[in-house]
Amino acid sequence: VLPNLLQNDVVIHDRCDRDSVLSHGEYGPIGFSFYNHIPEATTRIFIVGNEIAYKRFKTCRRIRGALVKFLRSIRTNATIVPEPPYSHSNLAHLLFPQVSNTAETAGQSDQSSNFAASQENITATELSLTLQQKKALSWAMCQLAPTLFRSHGSWSLWAAMASQGLVFSAPLISRAKYRSGRNVGTNETATKHKSRVHVNDLIKETEDEDHPKHAPRLAQPFLGENWIYVNVSTLWPHLAPNWTFDDSAEDISSWLERH
């Protein structure tokens, strides 16, 4: 039992980077209406993702800030932890017991007192984690979450498929036409080929007449009773051809807020 993941905790995987926002046909940020499905009884919401990109790119910081603001407006009683809890989570000590922490009592106090009533009151003590350990911790948070909200991409897909918790997901990408003109499985459906089951045996594709030009084909394969698909809008590159990752942070975040 992990002491820092409680029954009413939610983990959100926030996929943001230069190569995934307005630049890749198989990736895109998800409209914030997706998070209206967060259970009312949620007490803590953790956001994990590519923290290097979050620190490096203003667009990722702008999206994360808008998301936190939205979450606070819809779940007023929940504590929002907008960055992976490397510093103030007992989970880090459980996964990496060899890591030293300057706080002698970290991981020993009652878990109900580890988090304050609001994010502003959370104090952090830095852990000496390597980049790979940080990635492993973020992946574990997704895989072990009682409730996970995942964005597009195979990274969170693998974690979600290994999860025994409740998973909320946008429909998966089933096919994409690459430069060769050949239809092949994408990252999100590659897992099905691992088991030698053809993807077409598992998915129901969108109808051609309902499928916009340049948009990836979406599918809802059965991945268990704990898996819930939400038909939420995604900001695909073809929807904003004149926007750029570096110069359209406000436009992007506004779009996500409206969708």
Side-chain angles (χ1 to χ4, degrees), residues 76-139:
T76 57
N77 293 325
T79 297
I80 313 298
V81 185
E83 298 181 33
Y86 306 132
S87 303
H88 41 68
S89 172
N90 292 337
L91 179 59
H93 296 274
L94 182 64
L95 289 177
F96 310 114
Q98 75 278 15
V99 175
S100 61
N101 191 333
T102 57
E104 295 292 335
T105 60
Q108 299 177 3
S109 59
D110 181 78
Q111 58 186 348
S112 63
S113 64
N114 287 342
F115 282 80
S118 63
Q119 181 267 329
E120 288 81 3
N121 293 328
I122 295 176
T123 58
T125 304
E126 191 63 30
L127 291 172
S128 300
L129 296 178
T130 66
L131 178 60
Q132 290 303 316
Q133 287 174 325
K134 290 180 179 180
K135 289 181 178 180
L137 177 55
S138 293
W139 196 91

Side-chain angles (χ1 to χ4, degrees), residues 57-74:
F57 301 122
K58 66 177 182 180
T59 297
C60 292
R61 293 194 297 272
R62 180 67 182 85
I63 293 174
R64 180 74 61 84
L67 174 58
V68 170
K69 181 179 178 181
F70 179 83
L71 293 173
R72 287 175 176 162
S73 71
I74 63 170

Side-chain angles (χ1 to χ4, degrees), residues 30-37 149-150 168-170 230 232 259:
I30 293 177
F32 291 168
S33 64
F34 181 48
Y35 304 107
N36 286 325
H37 296 272
F149 282 73
R150 64 168 298 272
F168 287 84
S169 173
V230 178
V232 64
H259 294 82

